[in-house]
Amino acid sequence: MDTTFWLDKWDRRETGFHETSPNPLLTENLSVLNLKPGASVFVPLCGKTLNIGWLRSQGYAVVGVELSPIAVLELFEDLHLTPHTTKVGALTCHAAPGLRIFEGNIFDLDADTLGKVAATWDRAALVALPKEVRARYAAHVTALTGDVPQLLVTLDYDQQQVSGPPFAVSGDEVKTLYGTAYRVSEVVSRPTSVKGKCPGTESLWHLSPVFGS
Ligand SMILES: C[S@@+](CC[C@H](N)C(=O)[O-])C[C@H]1O[C@@H](n2cnc3c(N)ncnc32)[C@H](O)[C@@H]1O
């Protein structure tokens, strides 16, 4: 799966992953992160998620990264914001008060460009990536953010029954990917249906840095 896969999804409006209201796992559990007012939250592979508007409405700043120019355009339209746009290396930065979205590939984003963030919200980002990319992604997000705390949503199910994305990611894999830098604890685990085809488990993980941050 390469970047063309996602750009084509947005072109064809195959965006079933997009939720029409802020995700309750975020709205009901953000307090776990103990963020200071005005703190910045990193939203990798953000699409045009309504969680960004919700985080801003709670007084937090948001920094996102997203491949698709369509998603970025519609994100700002939905928020009734006109971004100031600049080129930053291979990425394009779209900025408005309390919001910066880097349009491009997350692997082209570096820590200096991202700037300081206080936490990461990962929903449909890790699980959007095939197994062979997930270790690189997890290490990159950890390094980019300086291993700030994360709330991470995963989905686990029988990968033989349904093909991803979203891909099945087990608790053991979360611990393998993040267990060196983070203490990994499960906040919520609940049954779900994957594409209406197969039972699965959706989990919310709190990753808190082992070395403090
Ligand atoms: C399953 S969607 C989830 C979007 C969002 N997190 C949400 O909850 O609605 C995954 C998103 O990641 C974007 N994406 C995939 N690979 C990417 C990459 N390497 N860099 C930046 N964005 C990427 C896709 O364009 C897509 O919008």
Side-chain angles (χ1 to χ4, degrees):
M1 181 186 299
D2 57 11
T3 53
T4 317
F5 171 89
W6 289 105
L7 295 171
D8 289 349
K9 285 263 176 212
W10 281 99
D11 276 346
R12 295 196 298 263
R13 291 296 194 278
E14 291 172 3
T15 52
F17 53 78
H18 179 71
E19 298 177 311
T20 53
S21 53
N23 190 296
L25 290 174
L26 175 67
T27 59
E28 291 167 15
N29 297 287
L30 183 68
S31 57
V32 166
L33 294 174
N34 221 2
L35 294 174
K36 296 195 176 113
S40 286
V41 179
F42 180 45
V43 183
L45 281 57
C46 62
K48 58 170 189 172
T49 176
L50 301 185
N51 297 321
I52 290 175
W54 183 82
L55 284 164
R56 288 178 78 248
S57 75
Q58 302 302 299
Y60 301 109
V62 175
V63 189
V65 59
E66 167 56 46
L67 267 179
S68 164
I70 295 173
V72 176
L73 181 71
E74 293 184 1
L75 171 68
F76 280 92
E77 279 176 3
D78 291 351
L79 292 169
H80 307 292
L81 292 170
T82 304
H84 175 69
T85 296
T86 49
K87 282 297 280 178
V88 188
L91 302 165
T92 303
C93 179
H94 304 267
L99 180 61
R100 282 181 301 142
I101 302 292
F102 291 99
E103 179 193 322
N105 193 325
I106 190 170
F107 294 110
D108 288 327
L109 183 61
D110 60 43
D112 283 348
T113 304
L114 176 67
K116 193 170 162 44
V117 292
T120 298
W121 162 250
D122 179 326
R123 184 256 163 195
L126 177 70
V127 299
L129 301 171
K131 189 167 182 55
E132 60 273 17
V133 183
R134 290 199 289 269
R136 181 179 173 214
Y137 167 84
H140 187 59
V141 168
T142 304
L144 266 182
T145 59
D147 62 14
V148 292
Q150 287 199 41
L151 284 177
L152 164 67
V153 181
T154 58
L155 195 57
D156 197 11
Y157 63 94
D158 181 356
Q159 192 76 87
Q160 304 303 314
Q161 288 196 46
V162 184
S163 58
F167 294 99
V169 174
S170 68
D172 282 349
E173 181 173 343
V174 172
K175 287 168 195 150
T176 302
L177 292 174
Y178 286 114
T180 306
Y182 292 102
R183 279 181 292 275
V184 175
S185 46
E186 196 171 42
V187 183
V188 176
S189 173
R190 60 187 188 195
T192 189
S193 167
V194 182
K195 300 182 184 173
K197 292 181 186 160
C198 149
T201 304
E202 185 179 50
S203 299
L204 176 71
W205 304 90
H206 177 212
L207 312 185
S208 57
V210 169
F211 300 110
S213 149

